[in-house]
Amino acid sequence: GSLRSIGALGTGETPDPDTANEAFGMLNDMLDMWSNERMMVFCVQEVIHELVGGKYVYTIGDQSADIACVFVGTSINNVLTVTSVTSGALSVGQVVFGNGVLANTTITAYGTGRGGNGTNALGTYFLSLAPTGVPASYGSYAPRPLRINSAIVRVTTSVAGTLDYPVAVINLENYQMIGIKTLNGPWPRAVYYQPSEPVGVLNYWPNPNQVSEMHLFCDTVLNRFQTLNETLTLPQGYNLALRFNLAEVLMPEFGVNEDETVT
């Protein structure tokens, strides 16, 4: 549709493989560019992870990072039922891997499961792709966020039950001004996020001395399309925005066919 909008294709024509692949690559590059524009990111991602006593620096972004989860579950079509969490915490947006799980499979929405690592984490979740494996142990990890907008820490007490406390999101200059970065405290009151590649780094202060659950509300990178024939569900308005913005990006390279007469 984008190629037809700029006159590079006529009605009913299909692009040759080279043209299709070049336009497809430009589409993914455009999505990467959109990710840097806060207004184009249509969903705030809640990243949930477990804080361990005595650890105040965490990595995030791939299978080797600290913010990951191991769990046992079964799948029917694109519905995953989690029966136990071995380690870490679950949340929407995580990339799932394991036997029978297709590459780039993500958790797209909560079902009866609500994330985290307690009893609320048990239940169903919706996946972007249907696994083909049998019940097994799966792994997941949170993608590298672009930025953190806000955060809370969730603690459980014997008297009041579950309590949420706000955590300030600070920049590098404010973090550097903290004199004792290893200062102990019951739970963090501030977080500095370094969005490095390939994994980001989370720096909490003070150093927590008890187990608690961190909830980060982040802007994440818009997912790249994996194949030309991939089917995705996008919010209303994004299909047209993708088509006409891609046409604008493609125009300098393609434009109107030279053998066509424009009237």
Side-chain angles (χ1 to χ4, degrees), residues 6 21 28 30 33 39 46-47 70 77 94 110-111 117 127 154 172 191 248 251:
I6 61 176
N21 287 330
N28 278 328
M30 188 183 73
M33 181 182 68
M39 292 182 62
E46 181 183 14
V47 174
V70 177
N77 297 323
Q94 286 185 342
Y110 293 125
N117 57 7
L127 301 178
R154 181 163 295 167
L172 175 59
V191 57
E248 184 177 10
M251 186 173 292

Side-chain angles (χ1 to χ4, degrees), residues 1 11 20 39 71-72 83 92 98 104 128-130 148 178 190 206-207 220 225 246 253 263:
T11 301
M39 292 182 62
F71 59 92
V72 176
T83 55
V92 169
N104 303 301
S128 60
L129 299 170
I148 298 174
I178 297 174
N207 186 7
T220 57
F225 293 99
L246 180 60
E253 296 190 28
T263 58

Side-chain angles (χ1 to χ4, degrees), residues 126-143:
F126 293 94
L127 301 178
S128 60
L129 299 170
T132 60
V134 295
S137 178
Y138 295 102
S140 61
Y141 64 89

